Amino acid sequence: MNQSKKMRLTGRMRNYLSWPFWLALLLAAVNVGTYFLDQEAGCLVSCGILIYLTVAVILYRRKKACIFNDLVTFATQYGQVQKQLLAEFSLPYAVTDEQGRLLWFNQAFAELTGKERSYRKSISNIFSDITIDKFPESEEEVDYTLSYLRRDYRIYLKGINVDSLISNSELLEQDAGSSTCIYAVYLFDETDLNEYIRRCQEETMITGLIYLDNYEEALESVEEVRRSLLTALLDRKINKYFHEIDGLVKKFEKDKYFLVMRSRSLEKLKEMKFSILQEVKTVNIGNEMAVTISIGIGANSGSYNKNAEYARIAIDLALGRGGDQVVIKEGDKISYFGGKSQAVEKNTRVKARVKAHALKEFMDSKEKVVVMGHKIIDADSFGAAVGIYRMAKTLNKKTHIVIDNITSSIRPLIQAFEQDPDYDAHMFVNCRDAKEIADENTLVVVVDTNNPKYTECEELLYQTKTIVVLDHHRQGSDVIPNSVLSYIEPYASSACEMVAEILQYFTEGVRIRNIEADAIYAGVMVDTDNFTQKTGVRTFEAAAFLRRCGADVTRVRKMFRENMNDYRARGEAIKNAELFRDSFAISVCPSDYVESPTVVGAQAANELLNIVGVKASFVLTDYKGVIYVSARAIDEVNVQIIMERMGGGGHLNIAGCQLQGMSVDNAKMYLKRTLAEMLEGGEI
């Protein structure tokens, strides 16, 4: 009773119990009006109101203690119900302190983890992925995914600040300025959800295109009566292979197929490393040339139309890289499989003639032509630029070649042009001047590279909308944007070979001067290592054309004589070479006393191939804070895919990459680790 006297009701309950007194006031107001009508009636009403107030006050005072007791009982029982509901909640739930130690957890959490309710160790002992550094700040929340007992869970952590509770408690006390936080932990079982998502993704349809790379050439090598048999065997091989992984193949041209399959089928093909690339080559009914195929696949774009567009982009990329490979485009991600064989040389020059006429039309439509190759320009890039210069000058166009840094390898060639009074003093310009020259009425021609980051002046690519690309390197993921004409032939030995062919079909009356023929011939000679690597029939035909135009082998040889420092550096690189896995020669080229160390490094890589047992050679050169890797091979190893793994590219037997932000030793370790991984994975 004394306790009830100390306590007072507040809020809605107080207002509710106050209604009898407010009603008495209303009756009193009505009673006043009754006196004006009848005094006896007013007295009678006043007596009734007085009796009503007396009874209300007595009941309120006598029942107040009972009301308080009932309220306390209800609150206690309600809290017990809440606690019981939380303890029996089907969702695993726990509370931890700031160090992650469990303070309390419900029955579902105990059943999941198999822990007793008295367990008070860190939650990290149960879920090793949830360490203390992953807990959120006070009153913040985070969630993570983890695997526990072969099921997938999303664990939700929410910080709860308990400073106000401690300050109002008579049992606990905390230091001034400190803060205390506990964490609520929820576990959501998402195993079934993830399984449904996985099944949905596996059932997603993807599209692909399959092209026979050398269909015409293979048919020509077979007797006419057996050609239909070769075609039938190829169709059967392709259809059977994709039918086994639940794919559908439809032939829409004599050498082209359309492919539809599920995403899970694509994963199977990846595990099989697209063995169809090798199986097709086994089809032989007397054909001298093995048939190769290229496959482009588009996936995970969000729509079937987009997948088909991705497939078209992928097959173009596969063909641009020389064929005999698979390219998969999944959004911005591009994957490559195969590409281990040499690109087949085309005997026809129809494509060269078509590209030559298209190039002439673009030059006719512009007032100025700017030509550039790749950074650290070499003889092939320079010779190809000179060939384009001659084409533009034949059409009386203002033409400039962009060379920002003159290397020792091309200095003799440039000096020959600078000393000739027939050539404009502004034939060669640096990057700064080129950016001032270029405008919307300028044609930019890029030679000997198709990667925008490797061009001599990348800014020029965004100053004009008319860009032409001529290159013999295999195409990578980074391509020059918005090119109106792209002529990329991986089978060509050099960019100079391609330019020499275009010159023959460009226009009548093109007269190549001796000095220009020397420059183009030098590019072919350097890239083929004196016609010993990657040469074909068309390579010698281009060389013969240049000889007829006045190219002199003796003059070219004299231009490329080396100084003593370069010769000594190359010898030191060869001397210090080490053999990795008994097949890969790795060395470092000195750069402190060499003017063009990257060129010397490439020459040393070529020399290392002369060692018995060496399948591929890699020479690293530290030049201006960047590690340049020159990779060379003969025919057993595809160095292009190795360099692509390290961020570069190139040809099957001539490739390279640039590594920034690492030392020579770290770059060598990175190269060895890449070789080891690719060997173990069967990629090389």
Side-chain angles (χ1 to χ4, degrees), residues 255-546:
D255 58 349
K256 295 179 177 64
Y257 303 82
F258 186 75
L259 169 65
V260 179
M261 59 184 174
R262 294 184 175 93
S263 291
R264 65 183 180 189
S265 299
L266 178 60
E267 295 304 317
K268 292 181 182 178
L269 291 175
K270 289 180 179 179
E271 293 175 2
M272 298 162 60
K273 296 188 181 299
F274 289 91
S275 57
I276 184 64
L277 295 176
Q278 302 302 321
E279 292 182 16
V280 167
K281 297 176 185 178
T282 63
V283 177
N284 192 323
I285 57 170
N287 46 300
E288 299 175 0
M289 180 180 297
V291 179
T292 63
I293 64 173
S294 294
I295 304 176
I297 296 175
N300 301 331
S301 66
S303 70
Y304 295 134
N305 287 334
K306 200 68 175 177
N307 279 349
E309 178 65 19
Y310 280 0
R312 187 193 62 78
I313 295 173
I315 194 66
D316 289 344
L317 189 55
L319 296 174
R321 291 163 53 84
D324 187 28
Q325 59 192 280
V326 179
V327 177
I328 304 173
K329 181 171 174 57
E330 302 175 86
D332 294 332
K333 178 185 175 183
I334 297 179
S335 306
Y336 304 99
F337 294 85
K340 297 182 180 180
S341 64
Q342 183 69 49
V344 179
E345 182 181 21
K346 307 292 184 180
N347 293 326
T348 176
R349 293 190 181 183
V350 174
K351 192 173 183 179
R353 185 175 70 249
V354 172
K355 300 295 184 180
H357 292 170
L359 178 59
K360 181 178 180 296
E361 290 180 4
F362 286 120
M363 283 187 177
D364 280 331
S365 64
K366 300 298 179 181
E367 292 182 358
K368 293 174 286 186
V369 177
V370 175
V371 192
M372 66 174 171
H374 52 73
K375 295 177 181 177
I376 313 181
I377 188 169
D378 58 10
D380 185 34
S381 182
F382 179 81
V386 168
I388 300 298
Y389 175 87
R390 173 44 52 201
M391 297 179 204
K393 279 299 183 180
T394 302
L395 301 178
N396 296 319
K397 302 294 180 180
K398 295 180 181 178
T399 312
H400 307 277
I401 299 176
V402 184
I403 301 178
D404 220 30
N405 294 305
I406 300 176
T407 61
S408 61
S409 61
I410 64 165
R411 180 172 288 111
L413 294 170
I414 290 182
Q415 289 176 348
F417 282 96
E418 290 176 342
Q419 294 170 4
D420 194 325
D422 293 335
Y423 291 93
D424 187 6
H426 301 289
M427 175 181 179
F428 305 108
V429 296
N430 56 31
C431 188
R432 184 184 66 256
D433 295 337
K435 288 188 287 186
E436 295 177 357
I437 294 170
D439 53 28
E440 289 295 325
N441 204 23
T442 301
L443 171 66
V444 174
V445 182
V446 179
V447 295
D448 203 28
T449 184
N450 56 65
N451 191 320
K453 297 178 182 178
Y454 293 167
T455 56
E456 187 72 84
C457 184
E458 186 177 354
E459 293 84 352
L460 288 179
L461 302 177
Y462 308 102
Q463 291 186 221
T464 180
K465 296 180 180 179
T466 311
I467 303 170
V468 173
V469 181
L470 302 175
D471 188 27
H472 68 116
H473 297 101
R474 293 193 178 192
Q475 203 166 354
S477 303
D478 294 329
V479 297
I480 294 176
N482 304 323
S483 59
V484 296
L485 177 63
S486 181
Y487 185 22
I488 299 175
E489 291 292 0
Y491 66 80
S493 68
S494 58
C496 285
E497 176 188 324
M498 297 172 61
V499 170
E501 289 184 348
I502 293 175
L503 277 167
Q504 300 176 59
Y505 299 107
F506 185 73
T507 186
E508 294 183 4
V510 176
R511 294 187 177 180
I512 306 175
R513 300 180 182 180
N514 293 351
I515 187 175
E516 295 166 351
D518 286 348
I520 302 173
Y521 187 89
V524 177
M525 190 178 73
V526 169
D527 260 30
T528 59
D529 193 15
N530 292 323
F531 298 96
T532 60
Q533 291 188 25
K534 208 173 182 298
T535 54
V537 174
R538 293 173 64 171
T539 307
F540 292 103
E541 289 177 350
F545 166 72
L546 295 171

Side-chain angles (χ1 to χ4, degrees), residues 131-143:
T131 54
I132 190 63
D133 59 297
K134 292 187 177 181
F135 277 61
E137 298 293 333
S138 178
E139 298 185 355
E140 293 183 0
E141 53 191 51
V142 295
D143 58 1

